[in-house]
Amino acid sequence: MTSILVTGGAGFIGSNYVRGLAASRPELTVVNVDALTYSGNLENLAGVLDTPRHRFIRADIADAQALERALAGIEFDQVVHFAAESHVDRSIEDAGAFLRTNVLGTQVLIDLARRRGVKRFVHVSTDEVYGALGATGLFSESTPLAPNSPYAASKAASDLLVRAAIHTHGFPALITRCSNNYGPYQFPEKLIPLMVSNALEGKPLPVYGDGMQVRDWIHVDDHCAGIECVRERGRIGEVYNLGGGNERANIEVVRGILAATGKPESLIKYVADRPGHDRRYAIDASKAKAELGWSPTVGFEEGLRRTLAWYVDNREWWSRIKSGVYRDYYARHYAHRVGEEAS
Ligand code: NAD
Ligand code: DAU
């Protein structure tokens, strides 16, 4: 029986991935390692937490000794590495945790995986390592790395550490670089869940700058399916871009959310732009499509409708988050932006 070590499996994408495996892969067992930082939440694992094929272990991937102790005697053949600090705005405020988890933590995992002789290591990365696009063009796997935020730079550094391990040690790793995800259990600091939850609460929707920045949206189920294709069939040593092919300007997304929730556009509040804000991301996923037979299946309008319904039905989940320590970050971050409001 194949056993997969999943890191960051209590976060947004990791928990969707683990739930998907539990539903569709009876032949697999999962060891889920997560430090439960502000964005990790055991509630995200409802339905899988206390099941025989899933074992949760709280551990910090950047603490080599503690991780080794936590995994002593536990066997796994493959690794899917999601654990990271993931929010660009927080990296602008303080990059420390990003370097620790994303850079050091990835090297710790590579070392551990090498000692354990794992057969496949999937490193989950991001399109942000490529920097920003102008009005045209797409990121391909050969686009040079040009990260613009501390978050993106820390992810690019982790990609390079994985690359170096492949080159130097013949480490059996693969890298995925995906565009913006949305779907259930996404922490409400990210654009879509923040705007949906603020709209449902009748609060202002803070749009950075002119709102014309473009992101290429992909439903989290499609991203997880892509990771599974890469884990099962990807060629070791290769990078695979994954993207939804759904380019939308932020303001279009925000207007769509207001229309769908029946809230007025007067809730839109233009605020100071994110420093160094990347203008446009868009993915060329033709390599994954041609080699692995993967394709995204969820259209953006349908995916957004389903996501909205999830946030309506799971108000308790996000209300609890928004009333906890996250409230302090929110107050600090947006008070400062409104003070510097865009004209
Ligand atoms: P998230 O912030 O929701 O989840 C991150 C998880 O990692 C949390 O459960 C957290 O507790 C855990 N974690 C953080 N530091 C840790 C540490 N030191 N040790 C162990 N666990 C730790 O993030 P997400 O949006 O689910 O992103 C998951 C991965 O996917 C990240 O590597 C991110 O770079 C990548 N990615 C995200 C997107 C996106 O749109 N969200 C797109 C492409 C790639
Ligand atoms: O592209 C993949 C990346 O997508 C992932 O690697 C990151 O982990 C993930 O956080 C995401 O990064 P972004 O910075 O694109 O996502 P975010 O949801 O923070 O912002 C999306 C866009 O919306 C971006 O242009 C900034 C804008 N925005 C965001 C917030 C939180 C606003 O206008 N207002 C806001 O309040």
Side-chain angles (χ1 to χ4, degrees):
M1 185 179 262
T2 300
S3 176
I4 304 182
L5 175 72
V6 173
T7 70
F12 162 50
I13 305 173
S15 65
N16 277 286
Y17 177 74
V18 165
R19 235 176 299 102
L21 286 189
S24 62
R25 298 292 161 104
E27 75 283 11
L28 299 178
T29 60
V30 168
V31 180
N32 184 350
V33 167
D34 195 298
L36 299 180
T37 66
Y38 78 94
S39 70
N41 185 347
L42 287 180
E43 288 177 38
N44 298 2
L45 291 166
V48 292
L49 200 52
D50 297 314
T51 54
R53 290 189 293 112
H54 176 271
R55 176 166 183 179
F56 181 80
I57 295 175
R58 185 173 189 177
D60 176 356
I61 60 158
D63 183 338
Q65 287 173 358
L67 188 64
E68 187 66 60
R69 270 196 309 276
L71 291 171
I74 298 175
E75 292 188 4
F76 49 89
D77 330 283
Q78 302 187 5
V79 176
V80 182
H81 174 33
F82 293 96
E85 287 293 332
S86 65
H87 194 42
V88 171
D89 291 323
R90 288 181 190 256
S91 79
I92 294 169
E93 196 176 292
D94 182 358
F98 289 75
L99 300 190
R100 188 172 182 282
T101 291
N102 301 2
V103 185
L104 177 63
T106 298
Q107 186 60 49
V108 166
L109 266 183
I110 292 170
D111 294 341
L112 180 109
R114 287 188 55 230
R115 283 197 301 279
R116 296 296 190 95
V118 302
K119 303 204 175 55
R120 288 172 90 77
F121 182 106
V122 180
H123 175 61
V124 179
S125 192
T126 169
D127 61 355
E128 296 201 13
V129 298
Y130 297 124
L133 292 164
T136 58
L138 302 170
F139 294 132
S140 79
E141 289 81 358
S142 56
T143 301
L145 301 191
N148 287 323
S149 72
Y151 161 71
S154 70
K155 291 295 290 187
S158 68
D159 287 19
L160 293 180
L161 290 170
V162 172
R163 181 185 186 279
I166 295 166
H167 183 80
T168 306
H169 302 293
F171 185 56
L174 309 96
I175 296 175
T176 62
R177 296 190 179 132
C178 189
S179 60
N180 286 62
N181 285 221
Y182 68 100
Y185 296 103
Q186 187 168 29
F187 196 86
E189 65 189 351
K190 305 283 165 54
L191 181 77
I192 289 182
L194 174 64
M195 299 297 162
V196 167
S197 58
N198 279 14
L200 293 174
E201 292 181 304
K203 289 186 176 160
L205 277 58
V207 173
Y208 296 165
D210 63 2
M212 291 306 291
Q213 304 82 9
V214 170
R215 296 293 181 264
D216 176 355
W217 295 98
I218 183 170
H219 192 275
V220 65
D221 288 349
D222 281 330
H223 184 192
C224 292
I227 290 169
E228 270 302 89
C229 290
V230 171
R231 185 184 67 78
E232 289 190 315
R233 300 193 289 282
R235 281 183 294 138
I236 281 174
E238 292 294 313
V239 176
Y240 293 93
N241 280 355
L242 302 170
N246 295 300
E247 285 187 56
R248 297 286 185 284
N250 293 337
I251 192 68
E252 271 183 81
V253 174
V254 170
R255 289 205 174 106
I257 289 169
L258 286 171
T261 49
K263 299 289 175 159
E265 293 209 354
S266 56
L267 283 178
I268 294 174
K269 183 153 190 70
Y270 287 95
V271 301
D273 207 351
R274 173 185 280 175
H277 200 168
D278 286 337
R279 195 66 178 167
R280 176 171 165 262
Y281 302 146
I283 280 276
D284 173 359
S286 54
K287 179 176 171 181
K289 288 178 183 169
E291 273 191 30
L292 310 174
W294 170 84
S295 251
T297 58
V298 185
F300 184 66
E301 277 63 35
E302 166 61 13
L304 191 58
R305 196 190 57 69
R306 274 163 42 186
T307 302
L308 234 151
W310 189 88
Y311 280 85
V312 168
D313 291 346
N314 291 275
R315 197 174 178 120
E316 256 185 49
W317 178 87
W318 55 263
S319 296
R320 239 194 317 277
I321 291 171
K322 285 184 119 177
S323 64
V325 278
Y326 170 57
R327 211 172 40 181
D328 300 336
Y329 162 79
Y330 191 85
R332 194 172 66 244
H333 180 69
Y334 289 97
H336 156 76
R337 299 205 106 69
V338 172
E340 295 172 19
E341 202 165 327
S343 49

